[in-house]
Amino acid sequence: MAAKKKRSPNVDNDSWVTIAADSVVDAQKNDSDPTFVRLRNPSTGAASLYVLGSGDLQLYEVKAFEEDFHSWFIGQTVQRDGRLVFITPMDPLFLIVPCLSKSAKEGTFQPLDQVVMDEEFSACSRLLKCKSALASLHHIAEEKEVETLKFYRFSQDKTIDWLKKKVERTVTVLKKREICVGEGVKSTTYVRVKPAADHQEEDYLRYAHGLISEYISQDLSTALLKHLGLPQLMSPKETEPPAKKRKISEQPVEAVEDYTKFNGADFSRKPLKKMTAAQKTLAKVDKTGMKSMSSFFSPKVKAEKK
Amino acid sequence: MSSNATVTRLCASSVDHTQRAPVHLMPCEIQSNGSAQVSQFFTATTKDHKSEKTVSFRGRGLKGQELSCPQGYTGLVLKEVHKPSSDQEDRTVRVSSVFDKLTYWNLETPPNSDDTVVMAMDWPELAEGVRVLAFILLH
């Protein structure tokens, strides 16, 4: 591929191609329109774009699918920005978990409206209008009722159980959609030729765990992995065979057993820029698929060197 | 970047009287926004062979395929009519056109199920899987 041309920044963009759940625009029983709001992303802690549906009853996440060098023709117009934006329903509990767990350190039961708020993101308190959130709070917190008032205390155990059910549910969808989750995930055609691998079930679990991890903190992600009975993978395993440029010979001999060294900078694979969220997760899972490769090859090098 | 407190209203009533427009995802960056004679110079020259479409665009052979929106989803092109004068202002977008399917084009390579945009269409159902549990347990 030729070197990328310098492109002028695309600043005057005023149009977006989206694929949105029908309910985003269907729900016109309420007078209010759906709104795009910025809320704290539970995984990154940074601002992300969400949509609160009509009357704030439903939360949607906004994810852009982006490939380099793409543009749209829409009717008789050109749109330079080639992104495709997905607006999909999202469980508001994912955004409430960080609020509750932050206040959990105090260990007291608190009323929701004191907890579900964020000075930086004023729309945060609107999450309390999402009916599904209020009805399912017991999945992530202990409840206490004093007279007519309800108080909540974050429960990590409950939350992990709830997340585990999400993982199981996601595995079901993955299987139903026949989405390939193993090492050959980059090419569906390739995978179909392969016999079903023994590790497929684990591949599904890891893939689903990766997906869910985009909605939770790193700590919860690690705890969930443990709860699922999946060991944390330390070595970098990539889809491709160990690249020649790794120059194993440059590594000191003792590096062979020390997999943590593989986490070094030259092993971190640059993710492709324009992957979808699902693919990003795929890539994550991918890396873990090649355990045997590096362990097979490394000792041989050691032997040769001696 | 605008302030975290501002919101962008999606004028949902605009969807009812919006016309459908053919939508093409082109495998090149066109450094322009605005009107173009798409139907005259592009759509008019596309050819259908079975499910695959071909067209010559600026001397390059493109191969394309139609892709439907996932079930329960609609394609909406959102357009901001009035640019805000400051980043403290709330904004409004309207639905400028609607689509049920789009045509995506590859440069030379025939469309196949490994095309990233095809895989991207799996996202809504996956997202649904991630979300839906709350309702299953409730009912």
Side-chain angles (χ1 to χ4, degrees):
Chain A
M1 274 246 168
K4 273 190 195 174
K5 269 195 254 172
K6 276 251 158 79
R7 286 177 287 168
S8 55
N10 185 13
V11 286
D12 55 347
N13 182 46
D14 62 355
S15 176
W16 297 267
V17 179
T18 68
I19 291 191
D22 290 340
S23 58
V24 175
V25 282
D26 268 357
Q28 287 177 37
K29 303 138 224 163
N30 292 281
D31 319 317
S32 63
D33 278 321
T35 46
F36 289 87
V37 293
R38 280 194 180 72
L39 293 166
R40 195 183 294 281
N41 184 304
S43 166
T44 65
S48 282
L49 200 59
Y50 297 89
V51 170
L52 280 165
S54 182
D56 293 355
L57 294 176
Q58 174 66 56
L59 175 74
Y60 301 86
E61 64 181 316
V62 180
K63 277 186 193 285
F65 161 76
E66 186 174 8
E67 275 185 294
D68 264 351
F69 306 114
H70 276 77
S71 295
W72 292 98
F73 284 160
I74 304 153
Q76 301 305 306
T77 59
V78 175
Q79 180 188 308
R80 178 177 172 181
D81 172 18
R83 285 179 300 173
L84 178 57
V85 178
F86 285 93
I87 305 176
T88 53
M90 174 175 167
D91 189 337
L93 278 193
F94 282 122
L95 296 186
I96 293 178
V97 163
C99 302
L100 275 174
S101 71
K102 205 164 62 185
S103 73
K105 283 156 200 141
E106 294 146 46
T108 51
F109 285 82
Q110 288 177 298
L112 270 187
D113 52 2
Q114 281 180 26
V115 177
V116 184
M117 53 179 279
D118 194 319
E119 282 173 7
E120 235 181 289
F121 301 91
S122 54
C124 183
S125 53
R126 287 168 66 179
L127 291 171
L128 291 178
K129 291 195 198 161
C130 295
K131 53 178 187 237
S132 64
L134 293 179
S136 53
L137 274 167
H138 58 94
H139 291 310
I140 60 165
E142 291 160 57
E143 242 174 46
K144 210 182 220 176
E145 223 174 318
V146 179
E147 286 163 21
T148 54
L149 295 170
K150 280 187 175 173
F151 298 85
Y152 294 88
R153 185 169 70 187
F154 178 71
S155 159
Q156 168 132 348
D157 291 346
K158 283 182 150 201
T159 304
I160 294 289
D161 274 337
W162 168 72
L163 291 170
K164 187 183 175 194
K165 284 177 190 129
K166 292 252 187 212
V167 168
E168 287 161 358
R169 170 75 204 165
T170 306
V171 166
T172 315
V173 178
L174 288 171
K175 286 181 176 169
K176 195 178 116 205
R177 295 289 294 177
E178 294 178 328
I179 291 171
C180 297
V181 294
E183 294 104 90
V185 79
K186 284 278 154 59
S187 166
T188 43
T189 34
Y190 174 69
V191 162
R192 275 181 207 124
V193 189
K194 276 176 55 174
D198 295 341
H199 299 300
Q200 228 192 4
E201 194 63 34
E202 186 183 325
D203 289 340
Y204 275 117
L205 273 178
R206 283 196 187 277
Y207 184 106
H209 172 264
L211 268 180
I212 303 285
S213 292
E214 295 212 339
Y215 299 90
I216 54 179
S217 66
Q218 184 58 48
D219 287 353
L220 273 178
S221 170
T222 312
L224 176 61
L225 197 65
K226 208 172 142 197
H227 192 65
L228 291 168
L230 296 172
Q232 213 166 357
L233 293 154
M234 299 306 288
S235 51
K237 301 108 184 193
E238 305 195 357
T239 20
E240 288 132 309
K244 279 172 196 134
K245 55 171 113 119
R246 270 188 199 171
K247 290 191 183 147
I248 296 170
S249 56
E250 273 181 18
Q251 296 284 327
V253 173
E254 62 269 22
V256 167
E257 306 289 71
D258 184 2
Y259 287 138
T260 56
K261 292 206 173 177
F262 289 110
N263 293 333
D266 44 340
F267 282 93
S268 64
R269 187 175 59 162
K270 249 193 193 164
L272 293 171
K273 256 183 252 154
K274 49 262 148 155
M275 290 194 295
T276 63
Q279 284 175 294
K280 265 187 224 155
T281 330
L282 281 176
K284 266 184 226 159
V285 180
D286 263 354
K287 280 192 211 161
T288 62
M290 292 285 294
K291 189 181 191 175
S292 43
M293 271 300 194
S294 43
S295 44
F296 276 141
F297 286 115
S298 307
K300 267 189 192 161
V301 172
K302 183 185 182 183
E304 277 164 18
K305 282 187 81 186
K306 274 186 178 171
Chain B
M1 179 156 159
S2 53
S3 147
N4 288 330
T6 60
V7 300
T8 302
R9 194 167 65 93
L10 167 57
C11 186
S13 58
S14 57
V15 75
D16 292 335
H17 25 84
T18 305
Q19 24 181 318
R20 281 168 196 272
V23 174
H24 298 269
L25 181 56
M26 303 299 290
C28 55
E29 185 175 359
I30 304 167
Q31 298 198 1
S32 167
N33 287 305
S35 60
Q37 291 172 298
V38 177
S39 61
Q40 195 179 343
F41 293 109
F42 183 76
T43 329
T45 57
T46 60
K47 294 183 184 71
D48 281 284
H49 311 282
K50 294 171 195 164
S51 65
E52 190 183 294
K53 294 163 176 291
T54 55
V55 72
S56 174
F57 182 65
R58 300 231 166 171
R60 308 288 286 269
L62 306 186
K63 295 194 168 78
Q65 177 178 279
E66 271 188 357
L67 206 55
S68 295
C69 291
Q71 210 188 347
Y73 283 75
T74 307
L76 306 173
V77 181
L78 305 181
K79 198 167 173 64
E80 185 166 32
V81 185
H82 300 290
K83 273 269 173 195
S85 50
S86 83
D87 64 0
Q88 304 298 315
E89 238 175 84
D90 284 352
R91 301 161 68 173
T92 305
V93 290
R94 302 179 68 86
V95 181
S96 65
S97 58
V98 179
F99 60 94
D100 296 321
K101 53 182 195 261
L102 58 91
T103 310
Y104 78 93
W105 296 92
N106 285 347
L107 191 58
E108 312 290 351
T109 48
N112 67 83
S113 60
D114 289 337
D115 288 330
T116 39
V117 63
V118 178
M119 296 207 256
M121 287 293 179
D122 277 334
W123 169 243
E125 187 164 351
L126 269 182
E128 198 76 12
V130 171
R131 173 190 74 108
V132 86
L133 175 89
F135 296 97
I136 289 181
L137 291 190
L138 275 177
H139 300 296

